[in-house]
Structure formats: structure tokens, C-alpha cells
Amino acid sequence: MKKFINEPAAVLADSLKGVEAAHPDLRVDHENRVIYRGTPTRPGKVALLSGGGTGHEPLHGGFVGTGMLDAACAGEVFTSPTPDQMLAATQAVDSGAGVLHIVKNYTGDVLNFEMAAELAAAEGVRVESIIVNDDVAVEDSTFTAGRRGVGTTVLLEKIVGAAAEEGYDLDAIVALAERVNQSGRSMGVALTSCTVPAAGKPTFDLPDDEMEVGVGIHGEPGRHRVPLASAKQVAAMLVEPILHDIDASGDAIVMLNGLGGTPLIELYLMYGEVAALLEEAGVNAARCLVGNYITSLDMAGCSLTVLKADDELLRLWDAPVVTPGLRWGA
Amino acid sequence: MKKFINEPAAVLADSLKGVEAAHPDLRVDHENRVIYRGTPTRPGKVALLSGGGTGHEPLHGGFVGTGMLDAACAGEVFTSPTPDQMLAATQAVDSGAGVLHIVKNYTGDVLNFEMAAELAAAEGVRVESIIVNDDVAVEDSTFTAGRRGVGTTVLLEKIVGAAAEEGYDLDAIVALAERVNQSGRSMGVALTSCTVPAAGKPTFDLPDDEMEVGVGIHGEPGRHRVPLASAKQVAAMLVEPILHDIDASGDAIVMLNGLGGTPLIELYLMYGEVAALLEEAGVNAARCLVGNYITSLDMAGCSLTVLKADDELLRLWDAPVVTPGLRWGA
């Protein structure tokens, strides 16, 4: 295992030190492993909290800041944070207008956020949840009942974050989050496995001449293994299952996401292929992201997310955002 | 070789299609392989042109836009662009106030930019050049006489880009660029080789238990190979040679850069270690970047750049920038 780490057990704690050193406008609670904005939630603003296992950076901690999340709870690598962490963060970010939990659909995350929501409710905090389940690859998987939550989470955190800044109340925020989740679909492909530091070896074996199509962000199996193919062919393997699942014609927000070990030149090359296929299908990529946004440690691979977008979603997308991972308009 | 490409010979052309599709505010000249801003250089503004071999994305094309470059010439992977490309771009961006060529110190780039500058001068364009040579690792190397140009290039393009927007004239731009180059130092380390698409196999062999300390951004040899070490030890291997070479006490702009295949969690972890060592040495990381800015295809590794910065450099650093690779304040 070749990684820039000290000891495997300290990866999360050590990386949080780096986040704190790099971003003086964020605040890191090292005991509870929560990344907060540097200033408290504005009274009357709905607070947005997300979290999950570490290893998907910049998700979620890199999306804390003006126009996106109020806080993010970090679990160990590929391991859900605990209800205690989530409860501490929920109470800390609530300004009286309530809190939305943004949860990727993995069994551990879902159960722990549910428990944290119940505990917070008992303390008088109004909490609602959105469970993101946008991965068209498989129904049930290693860590999931139902579809996995992947790339749409990034777009949802941005759009709903802008709505919260604008003053949407909690009911409106929940309705918007559900609409974003229903409008987004994702599909991924891996060229290599990732290596979890505590395991010290690749999560799965993938022969030199094969790809895993439909892979999850923890290296869960996908739909099938196929021989290595050209970028053009891979683009079709990503676009077709998404467009089979949703009518995305008209405007869309498109993300061509790297899984951590794939360089930007390949992501741009893939984006070019994807954009051509989407255009043929009548999908207008009105906005796009190309880069590493929801990763799987050092996995070589990429994922495509297509979010059908109306004027409201595009307006919220364009609103200012100031976070380590996404920044524009301010 | 596992890469998202069509055929090795088409990597550059195909990736430029993706850049064009992703960034409607940029303009791509596919014939000359130049990425331009979408709008012509404002009359009276000094134009900034850079370029080099492909494979270092987002450098340089990802730094074209308001507050940074006016254009970037793309060569084939790890291969200098030609004087013809550079001449076309130089003439296109000149608004009458002259053009600065920002050149990383590699023999091919230096010779070709020199020839382009001569040809442009013969056409009546005033051209000056800055040759960036900030890598403390080695004196001469595979593709270089003297020190290699690496991470300081990113910071220079940002700072000098802001000065050009502010209206600095060409003489002042050259003086500033020289000062930035003299104030910046870099050092890199590789955990793995990269794989050039046309070669189809890793550029060098690096055993599973060794690192290349002082590696270049094309996989050129560094200072020495050492056994794998902890992040804390690696941080010292980067910080010490830099601080041995320059007194960086006081304010600095610090970049902990990923070489393409290293995930963000490791870069943050490394930044935490580096920041602690710099603080001990009296260096105040007044600003920082953590992420992939000057890469080496899919190489796993990182580099550290420390730029000693006074108030003028910090002011120019903070000025608005709108490019695919760096964006803030607008």
C-alpha cells in the first residue's frame, strides 16, 4: 500500500488537521469529527447537515460553507459517523428554523441519521431528512437496500444550500430536496479498485484488461465486468442506463466526476464523449462540473450524474457558493 | 494501460473537445491547439500566454480566464507545443500592450517559446518571457538545463494575471514575474510512475516499498529513492530542502499539490504535516491551495510549493479569478 499517511488508524484525525490548517474560515471539532462553517447559522435559516464515511473527499466536508452545508460529520474511512456525532452537529447548527439531514442511501448512514434525528427531536430540534438514492447501476448492493446514493448528493447539497440561504423554510427545503433527488441519476465505472488504509490491500481484484461497470463508491460490485473499452464506448455505458431510467431531455446539470485516481485530462476527454451523446439524445448540458467531487479514495474511474433541471434549479445552482470544493459568484 | 482514452494519438485532440464542451466561456482553436478566453484581450492590457506539454492539467489550459492567462498552447503529452502554435496565440492575444510568455524551464519549451518570440517580434509584437525554474530537487535533469519549472508556475500565473488586469505595463509585469519566480521554491515526491498513453507502460519502475524523492512532473529522476515513509517524514523531505534554499520566514503562499493519482484525503493529511513544519520554521501560510494544480498524468505523488509573499503579492493573489482551475472573488 502506497499512501501518504502516518498510521492507518489515524487517517481521519490527521486529515482533519489538514482541513483545519488549510481553511481558517471553517471550524473543525476534532473530538466529534465535525466540520462547521466558521460562523453560526443565521437565525431563521434552515441548517443543512450531511456526513458519511471518509474517503469521498471533497464530499462532504469540502462542501461546508456559504451557499452549501452548515456542517458535515466525518466517519472513519467508508464507515458511517455515529448518531452521537450527528446529534452534536444537529444541535450546534440549528438556529430555530430546523435542520435537514442529507443522507446517502447506505444502511449504516440511514440508521444512524434516523437515530440522531429522533434524539434531536427529543431535544426540541425539528429535523427532516432526504435520502439520496440516484445510482441506476443496481438495486440492492453490499451496503445498501435499494439504490445507492452517489453523485446527485453533490448537486443536491449545492441547490438546497442556495435555497436555504434564500430563506426557503424547512417544508420548502424538503420538497425541493425530494425533487432534486427524483430528477438526478448516476452511473459509475472503475478501472481499478481502491485500497482502504486499514485493509492495506485493494478491496477487489480487477484484471488488467477489465473494467467494473456500475461500481459503487466503496468498490461495491456493479452490473458486470467487461473488457477494457474506448472512452467513446465507456461514455455510452454511462449515458444509456441513465437515459433509460429518466427522461432528461431539455436542460440538465451534468457532472463528470473522477473517483480519485483518474487525472483531469481523462475526465475532460470523457466529458467530451458524454456531452456528444447527451446532445444527440436531446439533453442540453446547461451547466456542468468536470473533476473530483465524490471520490472513492484512490480508485481510477469516473461517474456521470445527470440532473434534469428547470429554471428554479438552474437559478439555485448559479447562486454564490464559497466552499473548499465548489466556489463561484462570491 | 488502463485509461479513459480512445486511441493514444488522439488524447490531446479528444480532451480539447471536452474542454470546449465544458467551458462555453473559453474558446478552443482545435487546429492550433490553443485555449483562449472567450473575449479578446482588453485594449491596453498586457496579455499572458503560457503553454507546454499536455498531461499537467489543470495547468495551463485550466488557468485561462479573467485574472489569469489570456491563452494557453497545448503540446502533445509531455511534449512542447511548436513555435507556430505559440506565434499564432501570441498574435491573437496581443492588444498592443505586449505579451508575456510564461515558460517552465524545460529545454523544448524554452527553445520553442524563444523562436516564437522572435517571430512575433518580427511581426511587430512586443514579447517578453519569464522562465520559471523553482524546483530545488536537482540542477540538471532529463529534459532540463538548470532547475525545472514546476509549482511556482501556477502561483505566478495567478499573481501576474491579477497585475495584468490591474493595468501593470509590460516592464512592470516582467519585474513582478521575476520577483515571483525568485521567491518560490518547490519539491516533489512520487509513490508511483505515470503512464504516457503513447508508451502504454509506466515511465519508470518504482518498487512497492520505495518512493522517488525530488521527482519531476514528467517522471524525471529526483534526488534519491528511499523506503516508503510516514506522511510526517515525507513532509520533512519536502519542507527541508525548500527552507534550505530560501528564507521563507514571514508570510507565504503555500501549495500542496497532487500529481494526479493521489486522492484529496491524502493531500489534506500531507498539508497538515507540512503546515506544522512550516509554522515551526517561522513560515506563516497566509494563503494556501490543496489539490491537483500541476499534475503528471496518473502519477501518485505530491509536491510542495512555498512562495514568500509580501503585501503586494498577497493583494494580487486575493484579486478575483475566474478560470476552470482557480476561481474566487467574482
Side-chain angles (χ1 to χ4, degrees):
Chain A
M1 175 174 60
K2 293 186 128 177
K3 287 182 186 291
F4 294 121
I5 62 173
N6 291 307
E7 38 188 315
V11 166
L12 171 54
D14 287 351
S15 68
L16 286 175
K17 285 181 206 160
V19 170
E20 181 175 45
H23 301 293
D25 51 338
L26 300 179
R27 185 171 65 80
V28 178
D29 173 348
H30 293 282
E31 191 189 332
N32 285 308
R33 295 170 172 183
V34 181
I35 298 174
Y36 291 99
R37 297 193 196 183
T39 51
T41 310
R42 195 176 67 236
K45 192 188 92 70
V46 171
L48 305 188
L49 173 67
S50 191
T54 294
H56 307 302
E57 290 65 31
L59 186 91
H60 295 277
F63 299 136
V64 174
T66 304
M68 255 176 120
L69 301 177
D70 291 86
C73 301
E76 294 292 338
V77 173
F78 293 175
T79 304
S80 175
T82 64
D84 283 354
Q85 288 174 270
M86 297 166 179
L87 176 62
T90 302
Q91 292 180 299
V93 296
D94 180 41
S95 75
V99 180
L100 179 72
H101 286 174
I102 300 173
V103 187
K104 302 190 300 302
N105 189 34
Y106 296 95
T107 306
D109 290 318
V110 171
L111 290 175
N112 289 345
F113 267 110
E114 259 177 26
M115 186 172 300
E118 283 169 20
L119 294 167
E123 302 287 334
V125 180
R126 190 175 163 212
V127 180
E128 297 285 348
S129 298
I130 177 73
I131 296 176
V132 183
N133 58 352
D134 63 315
D135 189 338
V136 302
V138 292
E139 274 301 324
D140 302 322
S141 180
T142 317
F143 307 109
T144 338
R147 286 182 168 181
R148 301 174 297 217
V150 288
T152 298
T153 314
V154 176
L155 310 187
L156 188 148
E157 291 178 355
K158 168 66 188 82
I159 289 169
V160 175
E165 299 290 348
E166 276 195 11
Y168 283 43
D169 68 17
L170 187 54
D171 290 339
I173 287 282
V174 170
L176 176 68
E178 285 173 354
R179 195 156 72 80
V180 172
N181 182 49
Q182 284 158 15
S183 306
R185 297 291 189 281
S186 297
M187 179 81 182
V189 58
L191 298 182
T192 70
S193 175
C194 55
T195 297
V196 175
K201 58 185 181 56
T203 303
F204 58 89
D205 290 318
L206 191 55
D208 280 349
D209 55 355
E210 290 187 9
M211 313 182 296
E212 179 83 35
V213 179
V215 72
I217 55 171
H218 310 90
E220 310 97 304
R223 286 188 171 191
H224 40 242
R225 290 187 172 186
V226 301
L228 283 184
S230 70
K232 199 178 290 290
Q233 292 167 319
V234 173
M237 295 175 201
L238 300 180
V239 169
E240 282 169 11
I242 288 174
L243 297 187
H244 186 262
D245 205 76
I246 190 173
D247 172 11
S249 59
D251 285 341
I253 302 170
V254 178
M255 178 171 72
L256 196 290
N257 170 65
L259 292 178
T262 288
L264 195 53
I265 185 173
E266 295 180 41
L267 299 180
Y268 272 112
L269 197 153
M270 280 297 298
Y271 184 74
E273 300 296 345
V274 160
L277 292 175
L278 290 175
E279 191 181 350
E280 277 173 29
V283 179
N284 174 41
R287 306 290 186 277
C288 80
L289 292 178
V290 179
N292 294 329
Y293 295 99
I294 171 171
T295 61
S296 183
L297 293 169
D298 53 351
M299 184 181 286
C302 70
S303 66
L304 172 66
T305 298
V306 178
L307 174 69
K308 190 172 168 68
D310 59 15
D311 289 347
E312 181 189 25
L313 300 194
L314 291 177
R315 177 177 58 75
L316 294 167
W317 179 257
D318 291 339
V321 61
V322 182
T323 71
L326 276 189
R327 182 164 176 173
W328 59 69
Chain B
M1 177 175 60
K2 292 185 127 176
K3 288 183 186 290
F4 294 121
I5 62 174
N6 291 307
E7 40 189 313
V11 165
L12 171 55
D14 288 351
S15 69
L16 286 175
K17 286 182 204 158
V19 170
E20 180 174 47
H23 302 292
D25 50 339
L26 300 179
R27 185 172 64 81
V28 178
D29 173 348
H30 293 283
E31 192 188 334
N32 284 309
R33 294 171 173 182
V34 181
I35 298 174
Y36 291 100
R37 298 192 195 185
T39 52
T41 309
R42 197 177 65 237
K45 191 188 93 69
V46 172
L48 304 189
L49 173 67
S50 191
T54 293
H56 307 302
E57 290 65 32
L59 186 91
H60 295 275
F63 299 136
V64 174
T66 305
M68 254 174 120
L69 300 177
D70 291 271
C73 301
E76 294 292 338
V77 173
F78 293 175
T79 303
S80 175
T82 64
D84 282 354
Q85 288 174 269
M86 297 166 180
L87 175 63
T90 301
Q91 292 180 298
V93 296
D94 181 41
S95 75
V99 181
L100 179 72
H101 286 174
I102 300 173
V103 187
K104 301 191 301 302
N105 189 34
Y106 296 95
T107 305
D109 290 318
V110 171
L111 290 174
N112 289 344
F113 266 110
E114 260 177 23
M115 186 173 300
E118 284 169 21
L119 294 168
E123 301 288 334
V125 181
R126 189 174 163 213
V127 179
E128 297 285 348
S129 297
I130 177 73
I131 296 176
V132 183
N133 58 351
D134 63 316
D135 190 338
V136 301
V138 292
E139 273 302 323
D140 301 321
S141 180
T142 317
F143 306 110
T144 338
R147 287 182 167 182
R148 301 175 296 217
V150 287
T152 297
T153 315
V154 177
L155 311 186
L156 189 148
E157 291 178 356
K158 167 67 187 83
I159 289 169
V160 176
E165 299 290 348
E166 276 194 10
Y168 284 42
D169 68 16
L170 186 55
D171 290 338
I173 288 280
V174 170
L176 176 69
E178 285 173 354
R179 196 156 70 81
V180 172
N181 182 47
Q182 285 157 14
S183 306
R185 297 291 189 280
S186 298
M187 178 81 182
V189 57
L191 297 182
T192 70
S193 174
C194 55
T195 297
V196 174
K201 60 184 179 55
T203 302
F204 57 89
D205 290 318
L206 193 53
D208 281 348
D209 55 355
E210 289 187 8
M211 310 182 299
E212 180 83 35
V213 179
V215 73
I217 55 171
H218 311 91
E220 310 96 305
R223 287 188 171 192
H224 40 242
R225 288 187 174 187
V226 300
L228 283 183
S230 70
K232 199 179 292 289
Q233 291 166 321
V234 174
M237 294 175 203
L238 301 180
V239 169
E240 282 168 10
I242 288 175
L243 297 188
H244 186 263
D245 204 76
I246 191 172
D247 171 11
S249 59
D251 285 341
I253 301 171
V254 178
M255 178 170 73
L256 196 289
N257 171 64
L259 292 179
T262 287
L264 195 52
I265 185 172
E266 295 180 43
L267 300 180
Y268 271 112
L269 196 153
M270 281 297 298
Y271 184 74
E273 300 296 344
V274 161
L277 291 174
L278 290 175
E279 192 180 349
E280 277 172 31
V283 179
N284 175 41
R287 306 290 186 277
C288 80
L289 291 178
V290 179
N292 295 329
Y293 295 99
I294 171 170
T295 60
S296 183
L297 294 169
D298 53 351
M299 184 181 286
C302 69
S303 66
L304 173 66
T305 298
V306 178
L307 174 68
K308 189 172 169 67
D310 59 14
D311 287 348
E312 182 189 23
L313 299 193
L314 292 176
R315 177 178 59 77
L316 293 167
W317 180 257
D318 290 341
V321 59
V322 182
T323 71
L326 275 189
R327 183 165 175 171
W328 58 70

